[in-house]
């Protein structure tokens, strides 16, 4: 359906969607008695204005991209893996766990970090498998299963931080005791972004791109996503494919959690997922599940998040405005897609 | 669609390249503290950054503040925010920039040190971290930015005799001796309660919150037994911790619910130890339903305004004078790291220019109680020390022997609540 319409019509409708989203966000700002142009300028300067700012954008980009990558797999399989947030959180918990167990051992820090990543991936997969099990054998819609598991993941985090993993003598919302610096992902000098997390993010999306666009697995997964029954009748083992989709998404979400622990916070904090799971769902919807656009659009969203911090400093505006813009963009794109399909059908 | 994103990405990459091509300065620490560091984070457009070459002239000095809650929370963060306004007023050229809601729930994906850098990129040369929970961030930031003065309010990283001394040349601490304000609050509660049950709405459990809850109890017990002549064993004092300094739905216990539970189970005075005013709001609600209850908010001088008719008064912080001092010293280049635990000005605990800790009485405090409270305050001013033995910990083990007076160290790092108090001493 999308492929058959002309490229130019698509372009015009996408452009309209962006204009619509910007107009809506501007309207919100005008209502808040703020100058939209100044706000946009501040967001741009605050995200791309210096190499430090841009490196902070990358820090947000990597886990967001990993979450998006995972979600592309479940979306392709026709699954709404809303439990991705909890899967990120469990990844972070497993990574923290591995580091806590190994931090005083004689293993080299590099090896401990690698084990941390693997544990994170395992944690994400474990959490996803619960949702998968409920969905596939229990008939529980993955949206409800995922939501439930998200709550459990949050509760587990809080319990760990204020309970068994609390700092000596005190429980603190600032999280567990930070790991020693040898266990931090090494960063570029003076910046917060680690080349290793960049590598993981880029390899991650590349793997997903190839998997979904260039393999039989991807093709069959698409078939499962489009019409599960037809796919089954054509001989595709749909159960296995759904399991694979959930586990892959969990793996990527777990890696995102591991990056948050190893490369960003260096400890477990209460909201360790930073909402990247939900944001990743927006990104995936916005790009209409095409992996090629995950990287730039995730970058754009990350830049909005980082750049919007300028708003309260400079303009006394709340920085949740970036969320308004992100939400408006997704809604506008979906809306315009609907409008386009209606119009084209009429012709 | 592809083309749109292609164009967008090209623009993004271009912008990044442009940014990357700016000459990046070496991050080596500069020796002149008043010289604005040529850090690469400064946006090109910034025209505000002062060219500080002649410190004698009154020129703009930007200081930054990271507030853990909303700047208008009628509590801890607003007290800091108002102190910033005080500095702007008292120190010529001083200008505040701030970010509020600095916590990982409100600003996911950010760290305090990252937000502090945002302030620095807007010209801040002194940054105040206003929460205990920003300790890691404040220290990491201070290490990474030796040219910026870091004030961590409520921390102990600059206390040579403390447990967590870091020895960073650019990190200082300031805290008020709120124990006095809390003792006064406890006294006001004890003089008022009809049921003999006082509830304490606690935030999370740490050294600071334990010692403040304990101080409240000491003040309450003193006035209960000395002024009312009642048996200390008849005074119920219960602490319920919500888990954080303010309500985070789904994460902390709901302070509104906790306050309700107190009022519903016979506690007729609730003293707030959290940064926001739920206790007062709930007291007002219960009062409206005909129950005679009272509350004591915390942190902020204007906190009683939300419920004058049920407010016994508020112990508050007045950070302004200390912040003004730091900013003046920073401008003059004479600032040195110190750990300042600042008490009230006993000549007038509500003097806005000299007293770091104060207590304003509320409309609901009776005339009798008010007179007795004045007496208590003058006793404290005269040297009454309630941190004096015999005192036992909650579990019955001795804290202070007969006649022994607690040191600053013992009070600051109080390991448990005191005997006679109900509630958790240590988080589980």
């Amino acid at each position: 359906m999308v492929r058959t319409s002309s490229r130019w019509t698509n372009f015009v409708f996408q452009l309209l969607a962006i204009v619509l989203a910007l107009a809506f966000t501007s309207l919100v700002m005008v209502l808040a008695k703020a100058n939209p142009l100044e706000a946009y300028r501040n967001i741009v300067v605050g995200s791309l204005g210096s190499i430090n700012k841009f490196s902070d954008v990358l820090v947000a980009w990597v886990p967001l991209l990993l979450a998006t990558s995972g979600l592309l797999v479940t979306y392709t399989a026709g699954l709404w893996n809303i439990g991705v947030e909890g899967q990120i959180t469990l990844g972070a918990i497993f990574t923290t766990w591995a580091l806590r167990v190994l931090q005083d051992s004689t293993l080299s820090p590099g090896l401990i970090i690698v084990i941390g990543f693997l544990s994170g991936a395992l944690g994400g997969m474990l959490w996803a498998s619960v949702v998968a099990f409920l969905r596939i054998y229990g008939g529980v819609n993955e949206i409800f299963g995922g939501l439930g598991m998200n709550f459990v993941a949050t509760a587990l985090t809080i319990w760990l931080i204020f309970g068994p993993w609390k700092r000596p003598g005190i429980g603190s919302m600032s999280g567990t005791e930070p790991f020693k610096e040898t266990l931090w992902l090494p960063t570029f000098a003076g910046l917060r972004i680690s080349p290793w997390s960049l590598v993981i993010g880029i390899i991650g999306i590349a793997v997903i791109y190839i998997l979904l666009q260039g393999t039989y697995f991807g093709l069959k997964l698409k078939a499962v996503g489009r019409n599960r029954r037809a796919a089954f009748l054509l001989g595709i083992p749909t159960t296995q494919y759904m399991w694979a989709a959930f586990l892959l998404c969990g793996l990527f979400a777990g890696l995102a959690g591991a990056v948050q622990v190893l490369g960003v916070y260096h400890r477990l904090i209460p909201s360790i997922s930073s909402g990247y799971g939900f944001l990743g769902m927006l990104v995936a919807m916005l790009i209409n599940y095409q992996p090629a656009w995950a990287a730039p659009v995730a970058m754009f969203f990350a830049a909005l998040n980082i750049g919007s911090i300028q708003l309260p400093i400079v303009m006394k505006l709340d920085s949740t405005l970036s969320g308004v813009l992100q939400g408006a963009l997704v809604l506008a794109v979906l809306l315009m897609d609907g409008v386009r399909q209606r119009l084209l059908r009429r012709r | 669609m592809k083309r749109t994103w292609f164009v967008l990405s090209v623009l993004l990459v271009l912008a990044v390249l442009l940014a990357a091509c700016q000459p990046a300065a070496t991050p080596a620490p500069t020796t002149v503290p008043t010289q604005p560091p040529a850090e690469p984070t400064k946006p090109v457009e910034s025209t505000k950054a002062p060219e500080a070459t002649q410190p004698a002239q009154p020129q703009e000095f930007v200081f930054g503040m990271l507030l853990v809650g909303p700047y208008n929370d009628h509590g801890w963060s607003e007290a800091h925010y108002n102190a910033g306004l005080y500095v702007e007023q008292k120190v010529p050229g001083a200008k505040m920039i701030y970010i509020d809601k600095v916590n990982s729930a409100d600003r996911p994906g950010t760290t305090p040190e990252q937000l502090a850098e945002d302030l620095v990129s807007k010209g801040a040369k002194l940054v105040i971290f206003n929460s205990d929970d920003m300790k890691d961030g404040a220290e990491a930031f201070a290490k990474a930015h030796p040219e910026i003065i870091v004030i961590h309010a409520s921390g102990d990283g600059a206390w040579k005799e403390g447990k967590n001394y870091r020895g960073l040349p650019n990190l200082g601490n300031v805290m008020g001796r709120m124990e006095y304000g809390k003792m006064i609050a406890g006294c006001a509660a004890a003089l008022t309660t009809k049921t003999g049950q006082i509830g304490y709405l606690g935030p999370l459990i740490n050294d600071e919150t334990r010692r403040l809850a304990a101080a409240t109890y000491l003040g309450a017990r003193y006035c209960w037994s000395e002024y009312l002549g009642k048996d200390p064993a008849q005074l119920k004092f219960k602490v319920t911790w919500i888990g954080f300094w303010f309500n985070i739905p789904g994460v902390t216990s709901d302070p509104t619910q906790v306050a309700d539970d107190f009022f519903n189970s016979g506690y007729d005075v609730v003293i707030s130890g959290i940064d926001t005013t739920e206790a007062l709001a709930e007291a007002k609600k219960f009062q409206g339903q005909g129950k005679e209850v009272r509350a004591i908010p915390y942190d902020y001088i204007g906190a009683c305004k939300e419920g004058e008719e049920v407010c016994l008064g508020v112990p508050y912080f007045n950070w302004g004078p200390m912040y003004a001092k730091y900013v003046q010293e920073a401008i003059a280049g004479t600032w040195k790291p110190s750990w300042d635990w600042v008490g009230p000005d006993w000549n007038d605990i509500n003097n806005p220019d000299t007293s770091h800790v104060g207590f304003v009485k509320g409309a609901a405090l009776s005339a009798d109680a008010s007179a007795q409270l004045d007496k208590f305050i003058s006793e404290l001013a005269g040297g009454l020390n309630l941190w004096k033995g015999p005192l036992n910990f909650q579990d019955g083990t001795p804290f202070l022997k007969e006649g022994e007076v607690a040191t600053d160290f013992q009070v600051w790092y109080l390991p448990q609540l005191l005997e006679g108090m109900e509630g958790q001493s240590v988080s589980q």
Side-chain angles (χ1 to χ4, degrees):
Chain A
M1 40 176 200
V2 181
R3 303 285 145 78
T4 49
S5 50
S6 95
R7 191 169 272 203
W8 272 106
T9 351
N10 275 354
F11 176 75
V12 168
F13 276 102
Q14 297 289 340
L15 205 66
L16 266 177
I18 292 171
V19 170
L20 195 69
L22 283 175
F24 175 76
T25 316
S26 307
L27 183 73
V28 170
M29 276 188 266
V30 170
L31 288 177
K33 298 195 173 60
N35 180 351
L37 289 180
E38 199 194 334
Y40 295 135
R41 192 186 66 83
N42 277 316
I43 291 179
V44 173
V45 172
S47 53
L48 307 171
S50 73
I51 195 74
N52 279 39
K53 292 276 158 61
F54 184 62
S55 94
D56 283 347
V57 171
L58 291 178
V59 169
W61 179 62
V62 169
L64 179 57
L65 184 61
L66 285 170
T68 308
S69 307
L71 284 165
L72 286 170
V73 180
T74 40
Y75 274 128
T76 304
L79 297 165
W80 286 80
N81 185 19
I82 207 163
V84 63
E85 278 284 318
Q87 289 148 26
I88 297 175
T89 305
L90 256 285
I93 289 176
F94 268 59
T95 304
T96 310
W97 192 10
L99 261 64
R100 287 180 69 89
V101 170
L102 298 175
Q103 59 183 347
D104 297 322
S105 70
T106 51
L107 295 180
S108 79
L111 186 61
I112 297 179
I113 290 176
V114 170
I115 295 174
F117 271 113
L118 294 176
S119 313
L122 189 71
M125 287 164 79
L126 186 80
W127 220 238
S129 69
V130 177
V131 180
F133 185 85
L134 288 171
R135 171 71 174 83
I136 295 166
Y137 304 111
V140 178
N141 188 302
E142 72 275 7
I143 294 181
F144 302 123
L147 268 180
M149 294 308 278
N150 287 350
F151 277 114
V152 179
T154 307
L156 187 61
T157 315
I158 302 282
W159 175 72
L160 285 169
I161 290 174
F162 283 92
W165 290 356
K166 70 166 183 271
R167 294 179 175 212
I170 56 164
S172 161
M173 284 291 281
S174 62
T176 58
E177 189 76 20
F179 295 112
K180 53 186 184 226
E181 291 188 26
T182 49
L183 295 178
W184 299 11
L185 271 187
T187 62
F188 290 110
L191 301 176
R192 266 181 291 272
I193 182 65
S194 163
W196 296 108
S197 50
L198 279 180
V199 165
I200 289 168
I202 291 168
I203 290 183
I205 187 61
V207 165
I208 293 299
Y209 180 83
I210 295 168
L211 194 70
L212 294 183
Q213 306 281 21
T215 64
Y216 275 116
F217 175 84
L219 197 63
K220 288 179 181 168
L221 201 66
K222 253 177 236 166
V224 173
R226 289 279 160 84
N227 189 333
R228 194 163 301 131
R229 191 162 167 72
F232 181 75
L233 291 176
L234 287 172
I236 300 175
T238 49
T239 304
Q240 272 101 313
Y241 272 78
M242 282 162 75
W243 267 109
F246 271 120
L247 290 178
L248 261 175
C249 186
L251 187 151
F252 274 82
L255 283 178
V259 168
Q260 288 283 88
V261 169
L262 292 164
V264 184
Y265 288 105
H266 313 300
R267 61 180 180 270
L268 185 66
I269 62 164
S271 39
I272 190 76
S273 76
S274 297
Y276 291 141
F278 291 137
L279 205 56
M281 301 192 85
L282 288 191
V283 174
M285 277 191 268
L286 189 58
I287 60 178
N288 201 14
Y289 320 131
Q290 297 168 56
W293 305 110
V297 176
M299 179 81 79
F300 177 61
F301 272 41
L304 273 179
N305 270 14
I306 299 299
S308 65
I309 294 166
Q310 299 297 309
L311 298 179
I313 308 178
V314 184
M315 299 176 67
K316 309 261 185 283
L317 276 178
D318 202 285
S319 47
T320 43
L321 202 69
S322 64
V324 174
L325 183 57
Q326 287 161 348
L329 261 178
V330 174
L331 285 177
V333 166
L334 291 178
L335 184 74
M336 279 300 149
D337 199 49
V339 171
R340 180 181 55 79
Q341 288 187 16
R342 267 189 103 101
L343 287 180
L344 290 182
R345 217 177 293 150
R346 237 177 245 170
R347 256 180 225 168
Chain B
M1 171 160 183
K2 290 200 169 188
R3 198 160 296 185
T4 328
W5 293 119
F6 179 68
V7 174
L8 266 182
S9 359
V10 168
L11 283 176
L12 267 173
V13 170
L14 269 180
V16 170
L17 284 178
L18 278 176
C21 288
Q22 284 175 45
T26 46
T30 152
T31 44
V32 189
T34 48
Q35 194 81 19
E39 81 280 358
T41 48
K42 194 157 59 183
V44 207
E45 287 84 350
S46 171
T47 50
K48 281 178 271 176
E51 307 302 319
T53 41
Q54 294 163 308
Q57 279 192 352
Q59 53 184 304
E60 194 173 82
F61 178 91
V62 181
F63 66 99
M65 225 188 257
L66 295 177
L67 306 169
V68 67
Y71 76 94
N72 56 355
D73 64 355
H74 295 343
W76 174 264
S77 288
E78 188 161 350
H80 282 264
Y81 176 74
N82 286 351
L85 298 180
Y86 175 90
V87 175
E88 286 187 332
Q89 206 182 63
K90 294 283 172 176
V91 183
K95 183 178 175 295
M96 166 172 62
I97 53 176
Y98 70 95
I99 306 180
D100 65 351
K101 295 191 277 183
V102 178
N103 62 76
S104 59
D106 277 326
R107 297 196 184 277
T110 63
T111 58
E113 55 264 45
Q114 171 188 346
L115 298 174
E117 278 176 20
D118 272 305
L119 294 176
V120 169
S121 75
K122 292 289 172 210
K125 290 199 269 309
L126 180 152
V127 178
I128 295 162
F129 289 67
N130 99 328
S131 173
D132 178 55
D133 265 19
M134 301 176 191
K135 190 180 107 190
D136 304 318
E139 283 165 8
F141 176 80
K143 269 184 219 160
H145 298 268
E147 76 283 3
I148 304 290
I149 294 173
V150 177
I151 307 289
H152 178 214
S154 81
D156 57 351
W159 187 10
K160 280 208 179 81
E161 292 77 28
K163 282 184 188 171
N164 302 304
Y165 181 59
R166 296 287 187 269
L168 295 170
N170 59 331
L171 175 80
N173 294 127
V174 61
M175 185 56 183
R177 289 185 187 266
M178 180 46 82
E179 290 67 30
Y180 291 114
K182 288 290 189 180
M183 284 172 185
I184 299 169
C187 176
L191 294 172
T192 305
T193 175
K194 300 239 164 50
T195 60
Q197 290 177 284
I198 299 171
Y200 190 90
L201 183 59
L204 47 93
I205 307 177
N206 65 21
D207 296 327
E208 175 189 336
T209 60
R210 261 195 299 266
R211 69 174 183 262
L212 290 178
T216 314
Y217 172 68
L218 288 176
R221 196 182 66 168
Y222 183 81
C223 293
W224 179 261
S225 54
E226 298 297 316
Y227 294 175
L228 302 179
K230 296 183 184 172
D231 177 8
Q234 297 301 312
L235 179 69
K236 272 192 97 173
F237 189 99
K238 183 178 172 185
V239 185
T240 303
W241 309 99
I242 66 161
F244 197 52
W245 295 103
F246 45 82
N247 184 30
I248 303 176
V251 176
T252 62
S253 309
D254 182 356
T256 301
Q257 190 60 47
V258 174
D260 281 3
D261 289 347
F262 273 133
F263 290 135
N264 279 326
S265 52
Y267 291 82
D268 61 346
V269 181
V270 172
I271 302 174
S272 173
I274 65 172
D275 289 355
T276 46
T277 53
E278 284 87 354
L280 193 64
E282 287 313 291
K284 198 173 157 184
K285 198 182 88 188
F286 275 76
Q287 180 87 348
Q289 294 163 0
K291 277 203 171 188
E292 200 173 329
V293 297
R294 299 285 183 263
I296 300 181
Y298 178 40
D299 286 331
Y300 167 62
I301 189 168
C304 273
K305 285 216 178 65
E306 283 186 34
E308 292 282 7
E309 66 273 35
V310 290
C311 189
L312 295 180
V314 57
Y316 66 91
F317 288 100
N318 178 32
W319 304 92
M322 286 309 283
Y323 287 161
K325 174 174 170 271
Y326 298 143
V327 169
Q328 267 158 351
E329 289 173 351
I331 292 173
T334 59
W335 182 89
K336 291 259 179 336
S338 58
W339 173 81
D340 298 317
W341 199 9
V342 196
D345 175 358
W346 287 115
N347 292 318
D348 175 7
I349 61 169
N350 291 317
N351 184 329
D353 297 317
T354 57
S355 191
H356 192 90
V357 172
F359 185 94
V360 279
K361 293 176 194 162
L365 191 71
S366 72
D368 275 1
S370 175
Q372 282 175 317
L373 198 63
D374 283 337
K375 190 177 160 213
F376 179 60
I377 294 169
S378 64
E379 274 194 74
L380 286 175
L384 170 69
N385 191 339
L386 298 183
W387 297 106
K388 192 174 172 187
L391 270 185
N392 284 347
F393 287 125
Q394 194 183 36
D395 63 3
T397 55
F399 169 39
L400 299 170
K401 293 193 293 279
E402 175 79 44
E404 186 187 359
V405 171
T407 61
D408 273 359
F409 188 93
Q410 283 174 304
V411 175
W412 184 276
Y413 298 109
L414 191 72
Q416 271 188 44
L417 298 180
L418 302 176
E419 198 172 58
M421 300 172 75
E422 254 184 82
Q424 247 177 290
S425 259
V426 184
S427 63
Q428 285 163 351

